[in-house]
Amino acid sequence: MAAPATAEPATAIGDLPDVILSNIFALVRDTRSRNSLSLVCHKYLALERSTRSSLTLRGNIRDLYQIPMGFRRVTDLDLSLISPWGTDLLTASSVDPYLVGVAHRLRVAFPLVTSLTVYARSYLTLQMLLPLWPDLSHVKLVRWHQRPQSPLGADFDTLFTNCSSLKSFDLSSFYYYTEDLPPVLQAYPKISAALTRLDLLTVSFSEGFKSHEIRVIATACSNLRELLVACTFDPRIDSEEDGFSTEDAGITREALVEVFSRLTMLEELVLDVCRNVRESGSALEVLSSKCKKLRTLKLGHFHGIVMAIESHLDGLALCHGLTSLCIKNSADLTDMGLIEIGRGCPSLMKFQVQACKNITWMGMRTLTSLCRWTLVDISISRCTNLGAAASLRSLDPLRDRLQRLHVDCVWEGLEDCEKQEEAGWHFDLNEAIDEDTGRQAKRLKYSSDQDAVDEDSYSHSNGNGILSKSWDKLRYLSLWIGVGELLTPLPVAGLEDCPSLEEIRIRVEGDCRGRHKPTVAALGLSTLVRYPALRKMLLDCGDAIGYALTAPSGQMDLSLWERFFLNGIGNLSLDELDYWPPQDRDVNHRSLSLPAVGLLAECLTLRKLFIHGTAHEHFMNFLLRIPNLRDVQLREDYYPAPENDMSTEMREDSCCRFEDSLNRRPILD
């Protein structure tokens, strides 16, 4: 009698060699997923810690002595979100024994840091932290509070004194004076010459850098590969109704050709100016021939980028290698121009169009058909003929592929869309019309089952040639909506079914003053219940302006507008929410109201809540009703952040008391 065969033991992922497992762990980006992996066993814990290269500390400043010692491989450290937000790590003198102990603990816990992000209210904070890591190559400074009364250039002098290996620094979220930087760059010529990247953009500037300051920066930093800088422009420059600005730029074709000819290794280029750059197509042809590695291009106020004459490709359409393209304020761009770009740039993965007034859904639809196999990221904003319904209609060929999308919630033309949906409308690319000449574009012999859109394009149709309404792979949605408008028409406009949508960003903009009470009670957040995978929301009402205190008779103050904006948010199953309250700019007031807190407390599934404003301490206690809420922070990350809150609003000790109450609660998972 034969012996029974023994089954071979199953191979588990833990049986893989450590080298392969390390590579797998390194590919996991989500923090909670990494934390879950580390809890499986000691081996997984060691692998997770050894492959963690980036870390953001979110603990309270008083608890920094409890920093874990297991993240010794971290090279990118972010200290800018330590709680209470915006607090200065140097709250007392530099010889405070506690702060000295914290500094030593940071050095021991993270010995390999080469990239640092820190909130620096004072240059004294930098004096304490920067010497801990002498090999820093990248530093990002954060400061939304007003610049202290310190010596000119003190922050940057401290930075350059302690960071001899510096290669790049980022001031995009740092308040400083333009005259702070140039003298320091001149005083440290060796470090300045070694810099390869400078980000000097910041919203705190009322004016940008002047021409002589830019010359100093360019001369001192002679090896820069990337420079982002806010420049001083003539405030009289504005756009006319036809899309052209009132004046032409002093940029000639010859100058552009010379620049492009010298930058042959260029991979990314941003040219966004406030004046007209006319007849730019011929210069862009030189760009395509000289810069063969160019993959990302952003153009603002460039006109004549393509001629769209007959079947000949010209201008921008000759940049065949582009994978990302952004066109802003191109006044003479038409549907035929879009079609030519689609033909000439078949590898586009990301396409953004903004404030181009002469394009329609037909041109956009043709472009998306031509680039259907590669496009995954689309943004359409401030285009006169492309409201929400028209924009979504133009993207039908991408319904089964698009992953990221931005549209404006402008509901004009919604009735026409409904009628065409009922009639089962069909678009033929052969019907494209050249609006400039009135001639039918017969040269574009495309059809719905040939060339640009083959039979597989309709594999997601409902059987009668009409595309399915499902956006199967859409994971991120960005919406702009004006004050007083509603979200409820969104499904009718075309976003009825988004089974994979995980994250949404909604920006509400406009002046609430002078507006009467809306006829309905809510913006329409309940409409988003139809998206089952939605877990993260960024609701930005920071550009909604109103009365923080008593409003005139017949109008609503900001507390009532907040009720309108947030009504229905409790119906969503959100894990994470970022919320910017509306503001009163006259008194620099951006605070969470009682109705807002009450509505936020109804979001029973929230784990993370970040409020970009201030709040009263007793209002914040309402949030303790959310059972699994783990992380809450008030971030005054707008300029200027208030220096001294009123006695009834959150201060550092108030934040500590709230965090203690939050952390004392048992969390189910």
Side-chain angles (χ1 to χ4, degrees):
M1 183 175 179
T6 57
E8 295 184 2
T11 302
I13 188 174
D15 298 324
L16 293 173
D18 287 354
V19 175
I20 297 178
L21 275 178
S22 295
N23 291 332
I24 294 174
F25 275 53
L27 294 174
V28 179
R29 302 299 182 191
D30 180 67
T31 302
R32 289 204 71 202
S33 298
R34 293 188 67 99
N35 291 340
S36 298
L37 284 171
S38 68
L39 295 175
V40 173
C41 60
H42 288 289
K43 178 180 179 180
Y44 279 24
L45 173 63
L47 285 170
E48 195 282 323
R49 295 297 188 259
S50 66
T51 56
R52 180 86 69 114
S53 61
S54 180
L55 187 69
T56 299
L57 289 186
R58 272 284 296 111
N60 194 289
I61 188 173
R62 62 183 179 177
D63 299 325
L64 286 183
Y65 68 93
Q66 297 178 342
I67 296 172
M69 306 299 289
F71 297 96
R72 299 177 61 83
R73 294 287 182 178
V74 166
T75 58
D76 182 4
L77 181 62
D78 188 345
L79 301 177
S80 65
L81 297 178
I82 289 175
S83 184
W85 182 91
T87 189
D88 200 331
L89 289 175
L90 199 65
T91 55
S93 68
S94 57
V95 295
D96 187 325
Y98 173 73
L99 292 173
V100 173
V102 166
H104 175 72
R105 184 80 175 183
L106 286 169
R107 170 63 179 152
V108 174
F110 309 109
L112 303 179
V113 171
T114 58
S115 176
L116 178 67
T117 302
V118 60
Y119 200 103
R121 295 279 289 270
S122 164
Y123 70 94
L124 298 176
T125 299
L126 300 178
Q127 284 184 350
M128 180 183 72
L129 288 178
L130 295 180
L132 301 179
W133 299 288
D135 296 326
L136 284 175
S137 61
H138 172 75
V139 174
K140 179 176 181 179
L141 302 181
V142 181
R143 181 168 67 203
W144 292 96
H145 292 82
Q146 296 191 38
R147 182 186 180 281
Q149 297 299 318
S150 55
L152 194 67
D155 298 298
F156 306 131
D157 184 75
T158 305
L159 175 64
F160 279 53
T161 299
N162 292 280
C163 301
S164 58
S165 302
L166 197 64
K167 293 294 185 290
S168 71
F169 66 93
D170 186 341
L171 304 178
S172 59
S173 300
F174 187 72
Y175 177 65
Y176 62 102
Y177 298 159
T178 58
E179 54 266 30
D180 279 326
L181 184 59
V184 178
L185 292 175
Q186 290 178 314
Y188 294 86
K190 185 176 180 180
I191 298 177
S192 300
L195 291 173
T196 59
R197 183 181 187 276
L198 283 180
D199 187 346
L200 308 180
L201 297 174
T202 175
V203 296
S204 66
F205 285 161
S206 57
E207 295 182 355
F209 283 89
K210 298 178 177 62
S211 58
H212 70 276
E213 293 171 331
I214 296 177
R215 279 195 295 270
V216 171
I217 294 171
T219 302
C221 308
S222 55
N223 292 308
L224 281 179
R225 296 179 182 176
E226 184 175 354
L227 172 62
L228 302 176
V229 57
C231 304
T232 300
F233 286 102
D234 190 336
R236 298 171 299 173
I237 301 301
D238 199 1
S239 295
E240 301 287 355
E241 291 185 1
D242 60 359
F244 292 94
S245 60
T246 54
E247 296 184 23
D248 290 348
I251 303 175
T252 64
R253 177 192 179 279
E254 290 73 20
L256 288 174
V257 169
E258 183 179 357
V259 170
F260 298 155
S261 300
R262 292 177 181 271
L263 300 175
T264 56
M265 304 301 290
L266 199 64
E267 297 181 12
E268 180 176 351
L269 176 63
V270 178
L271 287 172
D272 192 351
V273 297
C274 293
R275 294 186 171 110
N276 303 313
V277 181
R278 299 179 185 268
E279 300 177 358
S280 59
S282 58
L284 294 175
E285 291 180 3
V286 176
L287 175 67
S288 67
S289 63
K290 298 295 184 181
C291 305
K292 298 293 186 181
K293 295 185 177 182
L294 187 67
R295 296 295 179 266
T296 300
L297 179 62
K298 298 181 181 180
L299 298 175
H301 290 87
F302 273 62
H303 312 294
I305 56 177
V306 289
M307 297 298 293
I309 298 177
E310 299 301 329
S311 59
H312 176 67
L313 295 179
D314 62 79
L316 178 60
L318 294 177
C319 297
H320 304 305
L322 288 179
T323 59
S324 177
L325 175 61
C326 175
I327 303 174
K328 299 169 58 178
N329 298 93
S330 185
D332 55 2
L333 181 65
T334 64
D335 286 348
M336 295 308 296
L338 286 179
I339 294 171
E340 185 170 339
I341 291 171
R343 293 173 58 218
C345 307
S347 302
L348 283 179
M349 300 176 64
K350 180 178 181 180
F351 182 66
Q352 297 174 286
V353 61
Q354 177 179 325
C356 295
K357 299 186 176 183
N358 291 317
I359 61 175
T360 70
W361 71 273
M362 290 187 291
M364 275 298 303
R365 183 179 174 107
T366 309
L367 181 144
T368 58
S369 298
L370 292 164
C371 302
R372 164 175 157 70
W373 301 111
T374 56
L375 269 178
V376 294
D377 189 340
I378 292 281
S379 174
I380 305 173
S381 62
R382 295 172 51 204
C383 295
T384 304
N385 300 315
L386 288 170
S391 297
L392 295 171
R393 186 191 318 171
S394 71
L395 302 179
D396 272 332
L398 301 177
R399 280 182 183 264
D400 62 335
R401 295 179 180 272
L402 200 62
Q403 298 176 18
R404 297 176 66 88
L405 171 64
H406 170 86
V407 293
D408 294 343
C409 293
V410 178
W411 307 123
E412 295 178 3
L414 196 60
E415 297 79 6
D416 295 337
C417 179
E418 291 175 316
K419 293 177 181 178
Q420 289 172 334
E421 289 287 347
E422 293 173 359
W425 59 270
H426 174 74
F427 175 72
D428 187 351
L429 299 183
N430 292 320
E431 297 297 323
I433 302 296
D434 187 334
E435 295 182 357
D436 294 331
T437 65
R439 293 181 292 105
Q440 203 172 30
K442 294 182 180 179
R443 58 184 173 83
L444 295 174
K445 282 306 215 177
Y446 304 127
S447 65
S448 59
D449 58 355
Q450 296 176 355
D451 297 336
V453 186
D454 61 16
E455 292 179 357
D456 185 65
S457 299
Y458 288 85
S459 62
H460 59 295
S461 69
N462 58 14
N464 59 4
I466 302 175
L467 296 179
S468 167
K469 294 183 178 180
S470 178
W471 302 77
D472 296 331
K473 295 184 179 180
L474 187 66
R475 289 179 170 81
Y476 173 86
L477 176 63
S478 172
L479 301 172
W480 175 93
I481 187 168
V483 165
E485 297 290 337
L486 304 177
L487 285 174
T488 47
L490 196 60
V492 178
L495 285 173
E496 182 175 351
D497 186 12
C498 304
S500 303
L501 184 62
E502 300 171 349
E503 180 178 351
I504 188 168
R505 176 165 192 146
I506 303 172
R507 182 185 174 197
V508 183
E509 183 178 3
D511 197 337
C512 303
R513 299 169 297 186
R515 291 181 175 270
H516 294 285
K517 183 178 180 180
T519 56
V520 294
L523 173 67
L525 293 181
S526 296
T527 305
L528 307 180
V529 172
R530 65 179 60 248
Y531 307 135
L534 185 61
R535 293 295 179 267
K536 182 176 180 179
M537 175 183 287
L538 293 87
L539 181 57
D540 186 355
C541 302
D543 288 319
I545 313 301
Y547 298 103
L549 305 176
T550 304
S553 177
Q555 299 183 34
M556 301 197 305
D557 60 25
L558 287 182
S559 66
L560 298 180
W561 277 107
E562 277 199 284
R563 177 181 293 171
F564 171 78
F565 295 143
L566 290 170
N567 209 337
I569 196 170
N571 297 327
L572 307 179
S573 300
L574 298 175
D575 291 338
E576 184 173 340
L577 174 63
D578 279 70
Y579 175 60
W580 287 258
Q583 62 172 313
D584 187 335
R585 289 179 178 171
D586 293 338
V587 294
N588 191 30
H589 181 93
R590 191 183 306 209
S591 181
L592 206 62
S593 66
L594 179 58
V597 173
L599 291 167
L600 291 176
E602 296 178 1
C603 300
L604 300 181
T605 59
L606 274 183
R607 297 185 64 88
K608 295 183 179 182
L609 174 60
F610 304 121
I611 300 166
H612 300 262
T614 61
H616 300 288
E617 181 176 0
H618 59 286
F619 286 179
M620 293 293 291
N621 290 329
F622 281 85
L623 301 176
L624 298 175
R625 301 175 181 176
I626 303 175
N628 287 321
L629 190 62
R630 295 291 302 273
D631 193 358
V632 182
Q633 191 172 42
L634 294 176
R635 298 175 181 173
E636 299 161 9
D637 48 358
Y638 52 91
Y639 178 78
E643 292 287 348
N644 297 306
D645 292 341
M646 297 174 59
S647 60
T648 55
E649 291 191 320
M650 296 288 279
R651 292 185 174 184
E652 291 189 7
D653 55 346
S654 306
C655 291
C656 293
R657 286 195 296 268
F658 174 78
E659 289 180 0
D660 289 341
S661 300
L662 187 69
N663 295 331
R664 279 196 298 264
R665 304 176 311 146
I667 303 297
L668 297 179
D669 59 347

